[in-house]
Amino acid sequence: MPISLNFGEITVSAPVARSLAAMGYGEPTPIQAEVIPLVKSGQDVVGQAQTGTGKTASFGIPLVEMVDTRSPDIQALILTPTRELSMQVRDEILRLGEYRGVKTVAIYGGQSMNKQLTALDRPSHIIVATPGRLMDHMERGTIRLNEVKTAVLDEADQMLDIGFAPDIAYILRRTPRSRQTLLFSATMPGPIRSLAHRYLRNPEWIRVGGEAEPVKEVRQVYYEVAERDRTRLLGNLLKAPDSITQALIFRRTKVGVDKLERNLRRSGFDAQAIHGDMTQSQRNSVIKRFRAKELRILVATNVASRGLDIPAVSHVINYDVPDNLEEYVHRIGRTARMGRPGTAIIFVSEWDFDTLDLIQSHVGNQLERMAPA
Ligand code: AMP
């Protein structure tokens, strides 16, 4: 099959066209159509866009095109708030740059420093990093950013929420002043605007999803429910007509996952578990059925959900509350993708009010309290 060098109105090189074909990206999403040409022209860009709009490829495609693969230098730096996002962005850029020979490495906390040092022994063109770990490397001299042409601040609002502002300052000061800077954020409160004014030069402001085509946000709701009543509430929600087409349910432990799976099946629901004790091929086959919509309910631990490419679902249910904000954000990112609506539900039991406060302080009044079902 001949490969088209046109991606909508955008011209791409043959190797990138091959990646796009392999990834099934036939047409640019709205944000890609706007952002890619600007980035290619060297312009600084502020993009207001949620996860699910295709924002990663909106900077990923021009970056992999611009990299000089003959040079051993790090030419692009992408900062992300969480290690999950670092891995996700790295994976997408790896695929986009695969046939151009672009080397992309993710640097994040929680992984052994040695492993990352080995990865850095070979030249890397693009680095995707969380700020803390990147700074460790910079201080040790294992990463140098003096040849960076483009810096990307991804999910900047979350980075500020986590308190990364000083780290961002430290890192960007060690990149060339002549660099191009891109900033992406789901929300644009004052502090993000000042961040943009501080680090970007005459940026073009792009917002996807105006009045005409709203980017559907995740609807976030919670139920106050006693711990022992959670199974009953879940059953009621799943039985309500026309509500939940497909649900991804999170539990903290493997034992909890198995127990809930058994309960659900006993009540006649089409549910399966996924966790780290299963073999990779068992996990893959469950995900395959879930993706094909042959399975309605997937009960998962966080760990299982991380490494896996779980498809978007109509409902994410936090049956056990997440351990921290990062995890919450990661979990709810599994719904409302590519403009489709989605709902994230939290079961708040008698022990969980601190966590609820934390989430509320992050998402504010977007989180709705629901009457018991
Ligand atoms: P993101 O907003 O970057 O998290 O992307 C959301 C999802 O859309 C990811 O699963 C991407 O693989 C997918 N995606 C991004 N761009 C395109 C495109 N042009 N066509 C189809 N799918 C896309």
Side-chain angles (χ1 to χ4, degrees):
M1 193 179 74
I3 283 177
S4 167
L5 301 183
N6 296 321
F7 182 51
E9 307 268 294
I10 300 157
T11 307
V12 289
S13 68
V16 172
R18 195 171 154 202
S19 290
L20 293 174
M23 293 163 85
Y25 295 5
E27 287 286 324
T29 65
I31 190 166
Q32 290 164 2
E34 291 201 61
V35 169
I36 295 172
L38 289 170
V39 178
K40 277 169 89 175
S41 74
Q43 171 77 46
D44 282 7
V45 177
V46 177
Q48 181 170 2
Q50 267 115 16
T51 304
T53 51
K55 77 175 155 68
T56 313
S58 80
F59 59 82
I61 292 171
L63 287 186
V64 300
E65 292 278 24
M66 284 171 352
V67 158
D68 175 0
T69 53
R70 290 160 311 180
S71 152
D73 295 327
I74 298 169
Q75 297 159 56
L77 166 70
I78 300 156
L79 290 179
T80 72
T82 64
R83 92 185 106 152
E84 286 73 30
L85 190 64
S86 287
M87 292 190 267
Q88 214 172 296
V89 170
R90 186 254 337 255
D91 290 345
E92 178 138 5
I93 294 192
L94 270 179
R95 295 181 72 191
L96 289 168
E98 185 175 356
Y99 303 110
R100 272 213 76 220
V102 176
K103 303 281 180 281
T104 305
V105 169
I107 299 291
Y108 45 82
Q111 197 194 25
S112 93
M113 198 78 180
N114 278 343
K115 204 165 158 195
Q116 290 176 351
L117 287 174
T118 317
L120 288 168
D121 277 347
R122 295 181 292 272
S124 310
H125 304 119
I126 301 181
I127 297 250
V128 188
T130 52
R133 180 55 70 94
L134 177 63
M135 284 166 56
D136 290 346
H137 279 282
M138 291 167 71
E139 278 158 14
R140 286 166 173 237
T142 42
I143 289 185
R144 290 166 56 80
L145 301 176
N146 48 339
E147 297 298 330
V148 163
K149 306 277 182 295
T150 307
V152 183
L153 306 175
D154 194 13
E155 306 211 347
D157 47 359
Q158 270 198 65
M159 288 206 275
L160 291 195
D161 280 349
I162 301 175
F164 281 147
D167 301 1
I168 294 173
Y170 174 96
I171 293 164
L172 289 183
R173 268 204 304 274
R174 284 157 183 82
T175 62
R177 286 179 78 88
S178 59
R179 64 164 199 273
Q180 176 184 36
T181 312
L182 314 173
L183 180 153
F184 292 87
S185 187
T187 58
M188 282 295 155
I192 294 293
R193 290 174 185 278
S194 4
L195 193 72
H197 290 301
R198 193 165 327 135
Y199 299 117
L200 279 68
R201 263 187 298 189
N202 303 322
E204 189 79 40
W205 295 71
I206 302 291
R207 176 158 185 231
V208 257
E211 308 288 320
E213 196 210 354
V215 176
K216 296 275 195 321
E217 289 186 36
V218 183
R219 180 164 178 237
Q220 301 173 64
V221 305
Y222 71 95
Y223 291 88
E224 286 184 15
V225 54
E227 191 168 82
R228 60 166 200 287
D229 294 333
R230 288 180 302 176
T231 322
R232 190 156 40 101
L233 172 62
L234 180 61
N236 291 345
L237 294 175
L238 289 169
K239 269 186 267 176
D242 302 328
S243 60
I244 298 182
T245 43
Q246 243 192 339
L248 175 59
I249 304 179
F250 284 107
R251 293 223 58 181
R252 192 172 295 125
T253 65
K254 291 177 227 173
V255 176
V257 163
D258 280 335
K259 200 165 142 200
L260 184 60
E261 181 209 27
R262 274 198 306 277
N263 269 333
L264 287 169
R265 292 173 78 97
R266 218 177 287 138
S267 311
F269 293 112
D270 177 24
Q272 264 195 295
I274 190 155
H275 56 61
D277 279 355
M278 296 160 62
T279 65
Q280 193 59 42
S281 75
Q282 284 172 326
R283 287 194 257 172
N284 289 346
S285 91
V286 173
I287 296 283
K288 204 167 145 203
R289 289 191 51 223
F290 195 60
R291 184 186 296 283
K293 306 221 183 308
E294 293 162 10
L295 172 68
R296 184 176 177 217
I297 303 161
L298 186 63
V299 190
T301 55
N302 295 312
V303 180
S305 81
R306 284 224 171 111
L308 292 167
D309 186 17
I310 293 180
V313 290
S314 66
H315 287 72
V316 165
I317 302 177
N318 293 274
Y319 190 96
D320 291 323
V321 295
D323 284 333
N324 52 51
L325 206 51
E326 200 181 310
E327 203 160 279
Y328 177 69
V329 172
H330 179 68
R331 286 178 176 187
I332 71 169
R334 309 308 332 169
T335 185
R337 291 170 83 79
M338 293 297 285
R340 283 186 291 266
T343 305
I345 300 174
I346 316 173
F347 286 1
V348 179
S349 83
E350 52 273 44
W351 323 109
D352 302 330
F353 285 97
D354 286 347
T355 310
L356 179 67
D357 285 347
L358 179 73
I359 295 173
Q360 227 151 12
S361 69
H362 180 68
V363 302
N365 51 15
Q366 284 175 46
L367 191 60
E368 266 173 84
R369 179 171 171 196
M370 303 294 280

